[in-house]
C-alpha cells in the first residue's frame, strides 16, 4: 500500500543516514594508524616526490610550477616536471592548506599532505554510497556499501595517513565521476527526451572526470568505462536523446579539460588507449541526427535505417581515409607496456623494467581474499541480483564489475579498482536481503494487524497490478512505446527477450515469496541472516584494522624486534638521508637505484640520478648497467656522474635482492652486458652463493663489504656512512671528474626546444660519449610506429622464452 511504501522509504533512508554517518567515522579513523604511531611522516617513495612538488607549487606559484625543469633529478638530463606530472594532488593540497589558513586553522603543508588520504578516503566512501544508491535504488544497499567501502583493504592500501600518493585522491574522483554519470541517466523525460538532470549531471560528470585526469593516470579506465557503457546501452536498444546529451556533455567538457593537463595533451585525440570513447562520441552524433529526423518526419523503420546508412557510409569512409593518413605519418601513439600487459596471455610485457615491479604481476585468488576478505564471496551475489534489475544506471554497475575484475586479474595493482565496485555489490547483496527479509515483511506484518483480510487482499491485488504496469513500462523488450524514440531498439530482440525472461523470473519468485502467509518465515530467515552477518562483519572489521595497521608502516621507518626482544623503530633510511643533507655539499650527486631517487631529492635534498617516474628507460638501464658492472669499470663511468653511491643492504628487499632486475634492465639497452636477455649469469646459485658475474659486480661488493671476505677497493669507493642497523650504506666516489661535473653544470651545454625556453635537456658529459654510443634504444613490442630491427625482434623473443622457463 502507499502507506507501507512510504514507511519503508522512511525506514530505509534512516538506515542509510545512520550507516553513512558511521562509515564516515570508520573511514577516517582506520586511516590514522601511521599518524598515531609515527607522527605526520610522508611514506615510501613516490609520496616524497609528490610532497616536494607540492612544496614547489606552494612556494613558487602556478606559472613557475608548470615551467619547472628539475635538474636535481634524472641527472644529468633533468626532468620537465611541469609537463610530466598529474598535478591534481599538489593543487588540492595547496588549496586545502591555504583554505585552512584563511579560516584561521594553523596547519603545516606537511601535515595537510599526511592527512589528505584520510580525508579523501571519507569523500570516496560518500560518493560510492551515492553511486550504489543510484544504481540499485535501495538506500539500505547504499548505506551498507558505505560501511564496506570505508574499511575495505583494497582501498586502504593506497589511502593510509602519510601515504601521499595519487591513488588516495583518485578514488574520490573516479567514484564521483561514475555517480554523476549514472545520475545523468536517471529515468525522467518523456520518450527518452533529455531532462534538466541529464544536462546538470552530465556537466558535473565531465568536471569530475577532469579532476580524475589531473589526479591519476588511471583516468584512461574511467574514460573507457563511460564510453563502453554508452556504447553498450546503444547496442541493446537503450539509445535516447537523454543518453546522447549526457555523454556528449561528459565527453566534450572532459576532453577539453583533459587536453589542458600537461601529461595528457592531445592524447584523447591520438592515443590508442583513448580513441574508443571518441568513436562512440562520433557515432552518437549520427544516431541522434537520425533519431531527431525520425521523430520530426515520422519516418518508418526502413526509412530510418536507409537514412542512417546514407550518413554513416560516407562519414565512415572519410574517417577511415583520414585515419589511414594519420597512421602513415605516425600520428597515433602506441599502447604503453603496462596497458599492453592487460591484454596478453603471458605474465610478461617484454619490458624488463615494467616486469621488475611486483604489482604489475597478475592478480590471484589469494590477492583478492587479502584485499577484499569476506566481500570477495558476497560480491558475486550482488552481481547476480544486479543482473536481474535492468536500468541504465544499474547496467553500469554490472559492466564496471566485469571490466574491473578482468583488469585486476591481469595486474594486481589494479585490485584497487575492485575496491569500490565490490563494496557496491556487497551493499546490493546485503541491502536487498535486509530490505526483502526484514524491513518489508516487518512493515507488512505491522500493517496487516490493523486491516481487514479482505482489504489487505484487495490492496495486494492493486499493488500487484500497479507493479506489473510499471514493469511493463520499464521492460527492455517492450518496444511499442519506444518505437517513437529510436530506430535501432528492434535490432536487440534477442537481448530484450532474455532480459524479459530474467525480470519475469525474478518477479515470479518475489511474488511467490511475498505471500502474506510467508511473512513470519521471511522475518525469521531475515533475522537468521542478520545474526549470521554480525560475526562475519566483526571478522571483516577486525581484519581490515589489522590490514590498515600493517599497511601503515611508512617503509621509510618501521617497527622491529631486537634479539633481546626489545621493540624498536628502525629509522635507518631517514637517518641516512639526513646524513647526506647535513654532511655533504649542496651540489653533491648521489647515485642509487631508481627506487630511492624521490627520497634522495625530497629528504636529503641532493641530486639523484633517477627516480620512480621511470619515464626514460634508457637512462635507468644506464644506471643498472653501471651498478652491475665490475668494480673498476663501474668506477670509470660513475666518477663522471656521481659524488656518492648509496645502497640498501641488510636483507629484506635490499639491493642484492633486486640486482638481477638491474642487470636485465641494463642488458636491454646495452647488448653484451649479459650472455642472454634474462641475465641468467647474474644471480645466486641454489646454495645462495653468488655467480661469478654477481660476485665481481660493484653492487654486490658495496652491499656485502665486511661479510664473507668481501671488500671494496678504496681507491675507487671509500666507505663514508653506515646506518645504525646496517640498512643503508653510503660510499664516496674517489677521483670524481671535476671536468665532467663543471661541463654538465654549464647551461650552455643544455639543449633547449627553442631559444630562451625553459625546456632545456641536460646532456651526458663528453667523457661518457663512447659508452653512451654503445647502447640501443629499447623498442617496445607495441610501438608500431617504429620499424623493428632484427636485434629487437630476437631480443624480445629470447626474453619471453627464457622468462617462461623454456
Amino acid at each position: 500500500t502507499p502507506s507501507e511504501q512510504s514507511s519503508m522509504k522512511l525506514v530505509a533512508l534512516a538506515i542509510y543516514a545512520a550507516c553513512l554517518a558511521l562509515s564516515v567515522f570508520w573511514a577516517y579513523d582506520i586511516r590514522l594508524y601511521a599518524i598515531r604511531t609515527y607522527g605526520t611522516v610522508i611514506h615510501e617513495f613516490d609520496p616524497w616526490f609528490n610532497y616536494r612538488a607540492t612544496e614547489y607549487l606552494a612556494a613558487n606559484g602556478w606559472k613557475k610550477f608548470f615551467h619547472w625543469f628539475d635538474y636535481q633529478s634524472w641527472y644529468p638530463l633533468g626532468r620537465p616536471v611541469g609537463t610530466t606530472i598529474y598535478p591534481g594532488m599538489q593543487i588540492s593540497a595547496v588549496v586545502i592548506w591555504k583554505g585552512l589558513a584563511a579560516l584561521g586553522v594553523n596547519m603545516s603543508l606537511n601535515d595537510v599532505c599526511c592527512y589528505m588520504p584520510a580525508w579523501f578516503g571519507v569523500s570516496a566512501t560518500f560518493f560510492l554510497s551515492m553511486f550504489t544508491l543510484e544504481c540499485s535504488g535501495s538506500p539500505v544497499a547504499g548505506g551498507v556499501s558505505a560501511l564496506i567501502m570505508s574499511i575495505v583493504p583494497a582501498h586502504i592500501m593506497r589511502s593510509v595517513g602519510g601515504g601521499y600518493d595519487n591513488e588516495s585522491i583518485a578514488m574520490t574522483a573516479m567514484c564521483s565521476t561514475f555517480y554523476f554519470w549514472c545520475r545523468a541517466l536517471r529515468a525522467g523525460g518523456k520518450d527518452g527526451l533529455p531532462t534538466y538532470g541529464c544536462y546538470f549531471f552530465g556537466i558535473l560528470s565531465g568536471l569530475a572526470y577532469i579532476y580524475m585526469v589531473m589526479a591519476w593516470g588511471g583516468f584512461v579506465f574511467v574514460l573507457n568505462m563511460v564510453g563502453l557503457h554508452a556504447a553498450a546501452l546503444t547496442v541493446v536498444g537503450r539509445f535516447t536523446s537523454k543518453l546522447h546529451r549526457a555523454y556528449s556533455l561528459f565527453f566534450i567538457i572532459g576532453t577539453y579539460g583533459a587536453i589542458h593537463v600537461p601529461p595528457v595533451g592531445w592524447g584523447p585525440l591520438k592515443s590508442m588507449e583513448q580513441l574508443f570513447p571518441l568513436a562512440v562520441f562520433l557515432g552518437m552524433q549520427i544516431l541522434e541526427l537520425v533519431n531527431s529526423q525520425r521523430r520530426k518526419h515520422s519516418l518508418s523503420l526502413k526509412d530510418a535505417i536507409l537514412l542512417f546508412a546514407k550518413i554513416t557510409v560516407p562519414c565512415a569512409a572519410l574517417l577511415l581515409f583520414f585515419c589511414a593518413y594519420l597512421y602513415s605519418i605516425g600520428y597515433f601513439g602506441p599502447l604503453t607496456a603496462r596497458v599492453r600487459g592487460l591484454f596478453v596471455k603471458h605474465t610478461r610485457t617484454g619490458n624488463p623494467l615494467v616486469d621488475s615491479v611486483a604489482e604489475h604481476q597478475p592478480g590471484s585468488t589469494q590477492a583478492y581474499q587479502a584485499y577484499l576478505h569476506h566481500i570477495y564471496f558476497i560480491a558475486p551475489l550482488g552481481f547476480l541480483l544486479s543482473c536481474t534489475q535492468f536500468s541504465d544506471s544499474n547496467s553500469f554497475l554490472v559492466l564496471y564489475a566485469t571490466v574491473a575484475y578482468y583488469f585486476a586479474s591481469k595486474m594486481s595493482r589494479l585490485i584497487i579498482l575492485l575496491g569500490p565496485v565490490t563494496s557496491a555489490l556487497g551493499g546490493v547483496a546485503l541491502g536487498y536481503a535486509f530490505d526483502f527479509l526484514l524491513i518489508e515483511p516487518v512493515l507488512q506484518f505491522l500493517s496487516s494487524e490493523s486491516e481487514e483480510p479482505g482489504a489487505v487482499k484487495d490492496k495486494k491485488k492493486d499493488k500487484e497490478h500497479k507493479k506489473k504496469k510499471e514493469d511493463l513500462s520499464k521492460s527492455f523488450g517492450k518496444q511499442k512505446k519506444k518505437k517513437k524514440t529510436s530506430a535501432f531498439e528492434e535490432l536487440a530482440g534477442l537481448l530484450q527477450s532474455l532480459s524479459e525472461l530474467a525480470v519475469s523470473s525474478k518477479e515470479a519468485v518475489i511474488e511467490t515469496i511475498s505471500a502474506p502467509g510467508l511473512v513470519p518465515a521471511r522475518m525469521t530467515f531475515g533475522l537468521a541472516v542478520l545474526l549470521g552477518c554480525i560475526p562475519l562483519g566483526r571478522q571483516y572489521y577486525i581484519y581490515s584494522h589489522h590490514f590498515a595497521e600493517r599497511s601503515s608502516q611508512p617503509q621509510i621507518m618501521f617497527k622491529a624486534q631486537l634479539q633481546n626482544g626489545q621493540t624498536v623503530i628502525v629509522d635507518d633510511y631517514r637517518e641516512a638521508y639526513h646524513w647526506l643533507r647535513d654532511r655533504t655539499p649542496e651540489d653533491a650527486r648521489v647515485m642509487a637505484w631508481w627506487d630511492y631517487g624521490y627520497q634522495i631529492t625530497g629528504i636529503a635534498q641532493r641530486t639523484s640520478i633517477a627516480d620512480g617516474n621511470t619515464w626514460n628507460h634508457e637512462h635507468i638501464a644506464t644506471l643498472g648497467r653501471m651498478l652491475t658492472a665490475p668494480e673498476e669499470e663501474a668506477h670509470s663511468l660513475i666518477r663522471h656522474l656521481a659524488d656518492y653511491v648509496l645502497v640498501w643492504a641488510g636483507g629484506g628487499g635490499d639491493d642484492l635482492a633486486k640486482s638481477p632486475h638491474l642487470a636485465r634492465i641494463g642488458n636491454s639497452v646495452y647488448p653484451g652486458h649479459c650472455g642472454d636477455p634474462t641475465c641468467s649469469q647474474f644471480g645466486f646459485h641454489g646454495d645462495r652463493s653468488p655467480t661469478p658475474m654477481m660476485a665481481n659486480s660493484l653492487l654486490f661488493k658495496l652491499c656485502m663489504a665486511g661479510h664473507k671476505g668481501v671488500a671494496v677497493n678504496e681507491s675507487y669507493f671509500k666507505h663514508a656512512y653506515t646506518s645504525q642497523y646496517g640498512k643503508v650504506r653510503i660510499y664516496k666516489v674517489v677521483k670524481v671528474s671535476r671536468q665532467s661535473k663543471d661541463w654538465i653544470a654549464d647551461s650552455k651545454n643544455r639543449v633547449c626546444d627553442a631559444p630562451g625556453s625553459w625546456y632545456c635537456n641536460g646532456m651526458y658529459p663528453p667523457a661518457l660519449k663512447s659508452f653512451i654510443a654503445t647502447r640501443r634504444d629499447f623498442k617496445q613490442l607495441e610501438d608500431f610506429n617504429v620499424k623493428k630491427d632484427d636485434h629487437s625482434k630476437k631480443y624480445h623473443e629470447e626474453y619471453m622464452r627464457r622468462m617462461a622457463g623454456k
Side-chain angles (χ1 to χ4, degrees):
T1 65
S3 61
E4 288 177 357
Q5 292 178 351
S6 178
S7 299
M8 183 173 177
K9 186 174 182 180
L10 288 174
V11 171
L13 288 175
I15 294 174
Y16 175 73
C19 289
L20 189 59
L22 182 59
S23 68
V24 166
F25 171 74
W26 281 5
Y28 183 69
D29 177 70
I30 199 172
R31 288 167 170 79
L32 297 184
Y33 277 106
I35 294 176
R36 295 191 192 106
T37 304
Y38 303 100
T40 49
V41 176
I42 301 294
H43 291 195
E44 300 178 353
F45 306 110
D46 293 14
W48 276 102
F49 167 75
N50 294 328
Y51 177 66
R52 179 168 172 256
T54 305
E55 283 189 314
Y56 190 93
L57 174 61
N60 297 281
W62 183 280
K63 184 176 180 180
K64 286 188 176 181
F65 178 76
F66 284 105
H67 292 82
W68 176 24
F69 203 104
D70 181 19
Y71 294 105
Q72 203 171 357
S73 63
W74 290 89
Y75 183 86
L77 309 177
R79 174 189 173 183
V81 178
T83 57
T84 59
I85 186 176
Y86 292 101
M89 187 160 50
Q90 286 75 21
I91 294 172
S92 299
V94 173
V95 168
I96 292 173
W97 177 59
K98 291 188 175 182
L100 290 174
L103 295 173
V105 179
N106 186 19
M107 196 172 189
S108 70
L109 184 60
N110 177 85
D111 290 357
V112 168
C113 294
C114 286
Y115 277 99
M116 270 184 62
W119 295 337
F120 277 83
V122 172
S123 58
T125 297
F126 170 76
F127 279 113
L128 188 278
S129 72
M130 296 295 289
F131 169 71
T132 307
L133 174 59
E134 184 63 35
C135 292
S136 67
S138 168
V140 178
V144 175
S145 70
L147 293 175
I148 297 172
M149 177 68 174
S150 65
I151 60 174
V152 68
H155 185 208
I156 290 172
M157 68 174 178
R158 292 285 181 172
S159 61
V160 297
Y164 186 56
D165 216 342
N166 295 69
E167 292 92 333
S168 64
I169 69 167
M171 290 299 100
T172 289
M174 184 179 76
C175 291
S176 61
T177 303
F178 289 165
Y179 165 65
F180 291 136
W181 166 249
C182 291
R183 178 61 181 83
L185 301 180
R186 181 183 290 185
K190 182 181 179 182
D191 294 335
L193 294 175
T195 62
Y196 289 116
C198 92
Y199 286 109
F200 180 70
F201 287 101
I203 292 172
L204 288 181
S205 67
L207 295 175
Y209 170 68
I210 293 174
Y211 186 58
M212 179 69 197
V213 176
M214 294 172 64
W216 187 37
F219 75 90
V220 175
F221 171 78
V222 174
L223 173 64
N224 281 280
M225 270 305 312
V226 175
L228 181 62
H229 183 234
L233 290 176
T234 302
V235 169
V236 299
R238 303 283 289 189
F239 177 82
T240 60
S241 294
K242 176 182 65 179
L243 174 63
H244 168 264
R245 301 297 193 280
Y247 185 74
S248 296
L249 286 168
F250 163 80
F251 186 82
I252 292 172
I253 293 173
T255 300
Y256 178 79
I259 62 177
H260 287 84
V261 178
V264 179
W266 291 100
L269 305 179
K270 63 189 299 185
S271 170
M272 292 295 292
E273 300 157 11
Q274 301 176 59
L275 292 182
F276 173 73
L278 172 61
V280 173
F281 171 75
L282 296 175
M284 276 199 170
Q285 308 315 307
I286 297 176
L287 284 173
E288 178 60 16
L289 176 61
V290 174
N291 208 23
S292 62
Q293 291 298 311
R294 189 186 186 199
R295 286 198 303 266
K296 182 176 180 180
H297 300 290
S298 301
L299 298 179
S300 64
L301 172 62
K302 180 179 178 181
D303 292 337
I305 292 177
L306 287 175
L307 177 61
F308 177 75
K310 288 179 181 179
I311 298 174
T312 303
V313 171
C315 288
L318 182 62
L319 183 63
L320 184 63
F321 176 79
F322 185 59
C323 289
Y325 168 73
L326 293 178
Y327 174 81
S328 67
I329 62 174
Y331 172 81
F332 296 113
L335 294 172
T336 64
R338 291 180 179 90
V339 172
R340 178 187 164 274
L342 299 175
F343 298 97
V344 293
K345 292 182 179 180
H346 48 73
T347 61
R348 302 288 173 179
T349 66
N351 184 331
L353 178 56
V354 175
D355 294 341
S356 70
V357 182
E359 61 186 14
H360 293 160
Q361 300 309 308
S364 63
T365 300
Q366 184 180 4
Y368 299 144
Q369 292 176 356
Y371 290 113
L372 302 174
H373 200 241
H374 289 324
I375 311 305
Y376 175 65
F377 303 100
I378 298 174
L381 300 178
F383 182 84
L384 293 176
L385 284 170
S386 298
C387 288
T388 63
Q389 181 181 352
F390 294 98
S391 67
D392 288 350
S393 57
N394 195 66
S395 60
F396 182 87
L397 179 59
V398 173
L399 193 63
Y400 173 20
T402 304
V403 175
Y405 177 76
Y406 171 79
F407 285 147
S409 69
K410 292 292 184 176
M411 186 183 293
S412 61
R413 179 182 183 180
L414 297 183
I415 291 179
I416 190 174
L417 299 177
L418 281 178
V421 72
T422 51
S423 299
L425 293 175
V428 168
L430 296 175
Y432 281 168
F434 295 146
D435 276 338
F436 186 70
L437 297 176
L438 281 178
I439 300 175
E440 184 180 330
V442 168
L443 293 176
Q444 188 177 350
F445 176 78
L446 294 176
S447 176
S448 65
E449 290 292 315
S450 60
E451 295 184 353
E452 294 293 329
V456 175
K457 184 176 180 180
D458 291 340
K459 288 189 176 185
K460 182 174 180 298
K461 286 184 177 180
D462 292 341
K463 180 181 176 182
E464 291 174 351
H465 181 66
K466 183 179 180 181
K467 188 174 182 64
K468 287 180 179 178
K469 288 180 68 177
E470 290 175 352
D471 289 342
L472 288 174
S473 67
K474 293 179 182 178
S475 174
F476 268 123
K478 302 304 179 183
Q479 300 180 29
K480 183 177 181 180
K481 183 177 179 180
K482 293 186 177 180
K483 280 186 178 180
K484 297 180 181 180
T485 62
S486 175
F488 305 99
E489 295 174 3
E490 294 86 348
L491 302 178
L494 178 60
L495 292 174
Q496 293 167 344
S497 299
L498 293 173
S499 302
E500 280 188 333
L501 179 61
V503 172
S504 60
S505 299
K506 175 186 174 183
E507 295 303 329
V509 172
I510 291 177
E511 183 177 352
T512 301
I513 300 176
S514 299
L518 294 178
V519 168
R522 287 167 62 192
M523 292 171 58
T524 302
F525 186 64
L527 185 60
V529 171
L530 177 61
L531 293 175
C533 286
I534 291 175
L536 293 177
R538 185 171 180 272
Q539 291 172 11
Y540 174 65
Y541 180 86
I542 293 173
Y543 175 84
S544 296
H545 274 266
H546 287 165
F547 181 92
E549 192 169 10
R550 293 195 305 270
S551 300
S552 295
Q553 298 274 4
Q555 289 192 16
I556 198 169
M557 55 195 299
F558 58 90
K559 286 183 179 180
Q561 221 174 38
L562 300 179
Q563 292 181 347
N564 62 8
Q566 179 186 357
T567 299
V568 297
I569 291 182
V570 178
D571 202 9
D572 279 30
Y573 306 115
R574 287 200 311 168
E575 290 174 0
Y577 297 133
H578 290 160
W579 184 90
L580 283 170
R581 181 194 63 192
D582 300 334
R583 304 288 294 275
T584 64
E586 290 187 3
D587 66 346
R589 305 157 300 170
V590 183
M591 176 174 286
W593 186 228
W594 61 267
D595 287 359
Y596 325 129
Y598 287 147
Q599 295 174 346
I600 291 171
T601 54
I603 306 175
Q605 300 173 16
R606 293 297 180 263
T607 299
S608 66
I609 308 302
D611 57 42
N613 182 253
T614 67
W615 67 283
N616 189 323
H617 182 108
E618 286 70 30
H619 188 67
I620 291 178
T622 299
L623 176 59
R625 170 71 173 78
M626 291 179 178
L627 290 174
T628 57
E631 187 177 14
E632 183 177 357
E633 179 188 359
H635 176 263
S636 69
L637 301 172
I638 293 174
R639 62 186 292 267
H640 297 288
L641 291 180
D643 301 295
Y644 294 88
V645 179
L646 178 149
V647 295
W648 279 24
D654 63 4
D655 284 345
L656 275 188
K658 301 172 185 176
S659 60
H661 291 299
L662 276 66
R664 278 196 291 268
I665 294 168
N667 187 71
S668 69
V669 169
Y670 290 89
H673 179 51
C674 302
D676 61 84
T678 59
C679 283
S680 58
Q681 298 176 18
F682 192 101
F684 294 97
H685 294 299
D687 59 358
R688 302 306 297 165
S689 62
T691 61
M693 184 179 179
M694 172 180 271
N696 291 327
S697 69
L698 171 65
L699 191 64
F700 181 83
K701 292 186 177 182
L702 296 183
C703 291
M704 294 297 294
H707 299 282
K708 299 181 180 180
V710 179
V712 176
N713 188 335
E714 292 202 352
S715 63
Y716 298 138
F717 300 94
K718 187 175 181 180
H719 176 265
Y721 174 83
T722 296
S723 60
Q724 181 179 0
Y725 296 105
K727 290 294 184 181
V728 182
R729 295 181 176 191
I730 300 174
Y731 294 84
K732 182 175 176 57
V733 181
V734 179
K735 298 179 182 178
V736 170
S737 172
R738 189 71 210 183
Q739 182 179 5
S740 292
K741 188 172 185 177
D742 291 341
W743 188 91
I744 295 170
D746 189 347
S747 60
K748 295 178 181 179
N749 296 320
R750 296 171 184 164
V751 179
C752 301
D753 61 348
S757 172
W758 66 275
Y759 196 107
C760 301
N761 284 298
M763 303 282 286
Y764 292 105
L768 293 180
K769 183 177 180 180
S770 59
F771 171 69
I772 298 298
T774 64
R775 75 184 187 186
R776 288 173 173 262
D777 289 349
F778 184 75
K779 296 181 180 179
Q780 303 283 6
L781 174 67
E782 71 278 2
D783 194 350
F784 49 79
N785 287 332
V786 178
K787 186 177 181 180
K788 306 298 182 299
D789 54 38
D790 292 338
H791 173 270
S792 298
K793 290 181 180 179
K794 184 178 180 181
Y795 169 86
H796 179 80
E797 291 172 358
E798 181 69 7
Y799 175 87
M800 297 303 295
R801 184 182 68 80
R802 286 181 172 270
M803 292 302 289
K806 298 179 181 179

